[in-house]
Each structure stands twice: as structure tokens, then as C-alpha cells.
Amino acid sequence: MAERSLAGPLEFGGLRMSWAPVHSAHAIERIRFEVIFVDALPKKVIDAQRRLFEAQTQKFRFDAVKDQKTQKIFIGEPSNKSPIIQESEGWQSVRIASSTMQPAEVVVLNPQMLVYESSEYRNWTTAKKRFISVVGEMISRISDIVDFRSFSHDYTDRFVFQGAPEKANAKLILCGELFPLLPENTILGNELWHIHRGWFETRNGLRILINQNLDMQDGTTHIGDAVRSLQIYTKAEARLDADSQVVSDLEEFLSNLHLICNENFAQVLSGEGREMLHIDQKGAGGHG
């Protein structure tokens, strides 16, 4: 993790807030979209989508498409000596950022799923447009072959503590409702911690599984100094059926998942944390 001097500290109860988002404009480290298929996608379809994607790699600035093998493990009757491992083949392609020489985008297609992931984020409009331009047609073609079991969107946000790791007080950035879940000395920065929560909601007639992980993590800067950061992972997964009209209005569907993620991200932050990102309690503003 590179050392950064980002947004200035805020006042919190007379103390100087020493948390900063990983980027000056937002805290988003990574976004991801994942489509899970009801039935295994036939190899001939995977190969056809590969050829179509390869024809556009230069346009999208992706590297050459490479084979990717996946394994699916089936646990049988207790009498079986070992689980059955089924191997299947798919493909993936990566775009390397010229400025950092690190992966900026990846597309993965295998019999079970289609995945798009990006570590470059400016705003929601740009991210949605890029996702649709890279894999929108692929989603439409695949939907003619198999039904989708689920379609999910997630964000990984990160805040970096600008001081000694043992002073990384999570009360300065998180909402008070989370504090009773952890021992007092832990949330004040004496120890690392993890919170996972998940629940279902019904939105626009769809069952949505919300998953959220909060992790206090240790790392080092590029010069080797110890640094502590808070990672917040928020995922909205729509459980679909054969009648779900995802492809017919993909932009609206994606925007709904985006708004759900934003809302649940904003709700775990303190008022001062939201002010740092210029977002309201629904997550509207700078984050999106």
C-alpha cells in the first residue's frame, strides 16, 4: 500500500480526525460485477465469446486472452473416499495500467460465471459505461443461451489511518451502531478486527442479498513504514428467475445495485466520515 497524504483531517469531539480515503476524490479501491449462470455455459459458447472478445482487445486496450481453468468440488455420500473434482476451462483477459504497470481491469468467463473487475474508478457514470461497453453485448448473447441465477455488484472501499497504527480509532469514522459488536480496546485501535454481516431485502420485486465486511488491516508503505487501514466491502446480489428482465434494461438494473451498495456503505460511516467523502446518508454525492 503506497503512503498517501490525502484529504485533510476533520474535527471529531475535539480530536483531529486522522483517517483519509485511499483516493483524494473517493475511497473506492475496486469495483466488481459477477453474473452466475443457472446451467453450465457450453464450451462452444465460451469459445465463441472468446473469439468475439479477442477481436476487440485492441479497442478495449486489453492484453491477449488466456486460458483459465476452474475447479468445482462435489461432496458425495459418506462412503466416498474423496470428493469429486470437476475441472472446466474458460478464459480471462487483463488490462494493465500504463501508469502503474498493475492490473486495472479483468474479464473472466467460464462455465459457471462471467466476471468484470476494475481498480480504476472515477465516477459511477463512467464505470457503468465502461462495463457495458466491455461486456454488455456478451451478457446479452449469453442470456439467449442460459438463465442467470444471480447478478451482483460490489465495492471495496479503503480508508488509511494517518498516524501510528495502534492509535487507529475506528470510532472516528464509523457509526456508533457498530461499536457494541467489538471490545472497547479493540475498536480504539489496540487490535485488528473483522465484522461480517449479511441479510436479504426486497427491492423492485427482486430478492437482494446484502453482504458487508469491515476489516481493520495492517500493511506497509512503499518505504516500509507500518500503516493501518480500514477496508469496507459492500455487495448487493440480486437473486434472479427466468422472468427477470435484467438484459432488457441493463443500465437501470446496474444503477439500482449501485444505489443499494452506496446506501449500505454510507450507513456504516459516521457523519464526519460521510462529510469526508461529500456523501449523504443514502450514499449520494462524491462516492457515486
Side-chain angles (χ1 to χ4, degrees):
M1 181 187 303
E3 186 179 45
R4 296 173 181 268
S5 178
L6 300 171
L10 298 173
E11 293 289 336
F12 183 85
L15 300 175
R16 297 291 281 174
M17 177 178 276
S18 298
W19 290 95
V22 71
H23 300 293
S24 58
H26 57 76
I28 299 168
E29 193 170 58
R30 180 187 61 82
I31 65 169
R32 177 183 171 98
F33 299 90
E34 183 178 281
V35 184
I36 304 296
F37 312 134
V38 172
D39 300 308
L41 197 63
K43 185 178 184 303
K44 65 179 182 180
V45 178
I46 295 174
D47 291 343
Q49 297 310 310
R50 174 175 183 158
R51 290 190 295 271
L52 291 169
F53 190 83
E54 285 176 328
Q56 300 186 79
T57 52
Q58 187 173 359
K59 171 185 173 182
F60 295 140
R61 306 188 305 280
F62 274 75
D63 289 348
V65 176
K66 296 182 179 180
D67 293 337
Q68 185 201 52
K69 291 186 177 181
T70 58
Q71 290 184 338
K72 191 172 184 180
I73 301 176
F74 297 89
I75 306 298
E77 297 295 328
S79 58
N80 290 349
K81 294 182 179 180
S82 60
I84 299 172
I85 301 177
Q86 185 182 84
E87 192 172 82
S88 58
E89 293 187 358
W91 56 265
Q92 71 170 21
S93 184
V94 178
R95 181 177 69 81
I96 302 297
S98 58
S99 58
T100 62
M101 299 309 296
Q102 297 296 317
E105 290 178 288
V106 62
V107 174
V108 176
L109 180 64
N110 60 48
Q112 289 77 42
M113 68 181 71
L114 167 66
V115 176
Y116 169 86
E117 189 172 308
S118 174
S119 61
E120 291 183 342
Y121 188 93
R122 289 180 234 167
N123 55 63
W124 170 243
T125 299
T126 303
K128 179 176 62 174
K129 182 178 179 180
R130 177 65 175 176
F131 171 75
I132 292 175
S133 68
V134 173
V135 297
E137 286 190 30
M138 193 184 308
I139 290 173
S140 179
R141 289 190 291 261
I142 291 174
S143 70
D144 292 333
I145 308 298
V146 295
D147 290 329
F148 298 161
R149 184 183 305 279
S150 64
F151 197 130
S152 63
H153 173 37
D154 64 67
Y155 282 99
T156 300
D157 291 82
R158 186 177 299 276
F159 296 88
V160 181
F161 190 67
Q162 307 292 289
E166 66 275 11
K167 302 293 185 182
N169 184 354
K171 286 188 175 182
L172 300 177
I173 197 168
L174 295 178
C175 69
E177 286 79 0
L178 296 173
F179 302 161
L181 300 176
L182 297 168
E184 178 74 6
N185 68 321
T186 299
I187 204 164
L188 290 177
N190 292 335
E191 299 289 347
L192 301 179
W193 52 265
H194 166 82
I195 293 174
H196 171 79
R197 59 184 196 154
W199 65 94
F200 278 97
E201 297 180 0
T202 299
R203 300 281 190 105
N204 300 317
L206 288 176
R207 293 286 284 167
I208 308 291
L209 173 62
I210 310 297
N211 271 314
Q212 194 164 53
N213 294 331
L214 295 89
D215 290 277
M216 193 65 76
Q217 301 176 340
D218 277 340
T220 56
T221 69
H222 67 285
I223 59 175
D225 291 339
V227 65
R228 186 160 290 181
S229 65
L230 172 64
Q231 178 180 284
I232 303 176
Y233 168 84
T234 309
K235 178 180 181 179
E237 178 183 306
R239 299 294 177 87
L240 306 176
D241 55 43
D243 297 325
S244 300
Q245 301 298 313
V246 172
V247 178
S248 61
D249 199 345
L250 185 58
E251 287 197 42
E252 182 179 354
F253 179 80
L254 295 175
S255 292
N256 287 334
L257 294 182
H258 160 75
L259 291 174
I260 294 171
C261 287
N262 270 10
E263 179 181 325
N264 286 285
F265 169 70
Q267 287 177 355
V268 300
L269 298 179
S270 64
E272 288 75 11
R274 293 193 295 269
E275 182 182 339
M276 183 190 302
L277 299 176
H278 308 290
I279 61 176
D280 62 22
Q281 289 184 324
K282 293 290 187 179
H287 185 262

